[in-house]
Amino acid sequence: MASIQEFTYQDVAEHNTKKDLYMVIHDVVYDATKFVDEHPGGEEVLLDVGGQDSTEAFEDVGHSDEARETLETLKVGVLKRKAGDPKPKAPAPGAVAPAANTQSAGLGVGLYAIVLIGGLAAFYAYQYLQQQQAAQNA
């Protein structure tokens, strides 16, 4: 394998078009050019963050393990920071992910239960009416 290539922010910034798209995620440089058309979120998402540090945008979405594996195949080098380069946004000290909203989860399950019970009631009502009609005709 070839040695790891170093890129500056200026180098990465020059690659910001659909036909030549680099981005930085966690100080690693990726060539996303071949992946633009395959990206599940659409090409606009990649083009918006192309040529810059995309760490925050990548992590905010919560990509899957498969997405992270795909990302590794696009790696072309590392970012060499210089004085004056933008600093990566570090999480605030003591910052914690927001708690999951478990209150609304019950509504989804309840709704499925209501639909299921309603469907069963409709099925048995139909069966009952079919039997009544058959008994009248006999």
Side-chain angles (χ1 to χ4, degrees):
M1 186 168 136
S3 64
I4 301 291
Q5 187 173 353
E6 290 186 340
F7 294 87
T8 63
Y9 264 114
Q10 182 61 38
D11 296 332
V12 174
E14 293 171 3
H15 302 272
N16 61 3
T17 66
K18 183 177 177 178
K19 298 200 182 291
D20 183 25
L21 188 66
Y22 281 20
M23 58 186 56
V24 177
I25 301 174
H26 296 295
D27 289 348
V28 178
V29 180
Y30 299 96
D31 181 354
T33 308
K34 293 180 262 179
F35 188 67
V36 171
D37 292 327
E38 299 171 28
H39 187 258
E43 67 183 44
E44 306 82 30
V45 175
L46 294 179
L47 293 172
D48 286 346
V49 294
Q52 55 188 310
D53 191 329
S54 310
T55 304
E56 185 176 7
F58 182 82
E59 293 300 342
D60 283 351
V61 171
H63 285 88
S64 66
D65 291 338
E66 183 181 349
R68 292 175 188 279
E69 289 171 11
T70 301
L71 187 65
E72 282 304 308
T73 66
L74 304 175
K75 183 177 178 177
V76 293
V78 295
L79 182 67
K80 181 179 180 183
R81 293 192 177 274
K82 292 184 174 181
D85 283 347
K87 302 271 188 246
K89 292 184 179 178
V96 180
N101 181 3
T102 58
Q103 297 295 330
S104 64
L107 176 63
V109 173
L111 183 59
Y112 280 121
I114 290 170
V115 169
L116 178 64
I117 291 169
L120 288 172
F123 173 75
Y124 286 114
Y126 177 76
Q127 291 295 322
Y128 175 76
L129 292 174
Q130 288 293 332
Q131 287 177 353
Q132 292 298 319
Q133 187 176 19
Q136 284 179 349
N137 292 337

